[in-house]
Amino acid sequence: MGQRIAILQGHPDPAGGHLCHALAAAYADGAKAAGHHVKIIDVATLEFPLLRTQEDYKTGTTPVGLVEAQGQILDAEHLVIIYPLWLGTLPAILKGFLEQVLRPSLAASSPGEQPSYSEFSRLMKGTSCRVIITMGMPALAYRFFFFAHSLKNLERNILKFVGVKPIRTSLFGMVDTASAEKRQLWLAAMKMLGKRAG
């Protein structure tokens, strides 16, 4: 029996056609071929406001346009997050999306209250994750010279905080100059990961 997989396509260009979109499609193709149940959430095509106050974050309701995506994320057994590195971190639209769908109201024991860490960490307990990041710099430079700060923040302060583990990563560097052959190898690797839901 296949796993329930939610793929968050975090590239901010709604027109598509970027490497991130190709990587997501390859992962989905591999997963579907292996019998997994796949939902692709293209964040750039969704309409939602950015959170501007702590009160809205703590007590507000999920925007109507995100309710379906929120349900797919909460229902997933495996989560895949794909985005390009922008200004050293994830694109603003993806951060804004995560703020909207991972609200305290989903985990709090009482309405309007900020949940404790233990309450929040049960929100997605049992969900694993693969984070896939594309970038213009060499992947090794990002990981070891820049210490992968945005990735570590996503892992520690968002994913682990709501109970997601284990978290595995795939980093693709120098994407602007990558040959067609290298891109095909990347896509093949994504398809294999999709088959394993890894």
Side-chain angles (χ1 to χ4, degrees):
M1 185 175 179
Q3 290 195 49
R4 298 186 302 277
I5 301 174
I7 300 176
L8 271 63
Q9 172 52 261
H11 197 290
D13 186 352
H18 298 276
L19 177 61
C20 285
H21 298 93
L23 293 171
Y27 191 104
D29 287 346
K32 290 175 182 177
H36 301 298
H37 308 282
V38 181
K39 298 289 185 181
I40 298 180
I41 302 168
D42 195 343
V43 176
T45 65
L46 302 174
E47 293 292 334
F48 60 92
L50 295 178
L51 285 169
R52 297 181 182 275
T53 67
Q54 184 182 33
E55 185 66 20
D56 188 10
Y57 174 63
K58 290 175 65 176
T59 65
T61 57
T62 304
V64 174
L66 298 185
V67 171
E68 182 179 3
Q70 183 182 61
Q72 291 168 347
I73 291 170
L74 295 175
D75 183 59
E77 297 170 281
H78 182 63
L79 191 62
V80 181
I81 303 176
I82 304 176
Y83 65 90
L85 196 68
W86 278 29
L87 294 178
T89 188
L90 62 165
I93 193 169
L94 179 57
K95 178 64 161 52
F97 172 83
L98 293 172
E99 289 174 356
Q100 286 282 16
V101 299
L102 299 178
R103 290 172 165 272
S105 59
L106 297 174
S109 55
S110 301
E113 288 189 1
Q114 181 76 22
S116 66
Y117 172 76
S118 61
E119 289 173 320
F120 231 140
S121 66
R122 286 194 293 269
L123 185 60
M124 297 180 66
K125 185 177 181 180
T127 304
S128 57
C129 184
R130 166 76 55 177
V131 179
I132 300 166
I133 309 175
T134 64
M135 61 196 72
M137 73 175 78
L140 288 176
Y142 173 69
R143 190 180 290 278
F144 296 111
F145 184 78
F146 293 99
F147 302 110
H149 287 303
S150 73
L151 172 59
K152 290 179 180 178
N153 178 65
L154 175 62
E155 290 178 328
R156 179 180 60 246
N157 299 331
I158 299 177
L159 296 175
K160 288 183 179 178
F161 195 71
V162 297
V164 175
K165 63 179 182 180
I167 302 166
R168 300 180 177 89
T169 60
S170 297
L171 305 180
F172 298 99
M174 304 293 287
V175 298
D176 296 331
T177 58
S179 65
E181 291 77 11
K182 177 168 283 190
R183 287 176 176 247
Q184 287 304 313
L185 289 174
W186 290 344
L187 296 178
M190 285 297 100
K191 188 170 288 189
M192 290 301 299
L193 285 174
K195 288 181 178 179
R196 304 198 308 264

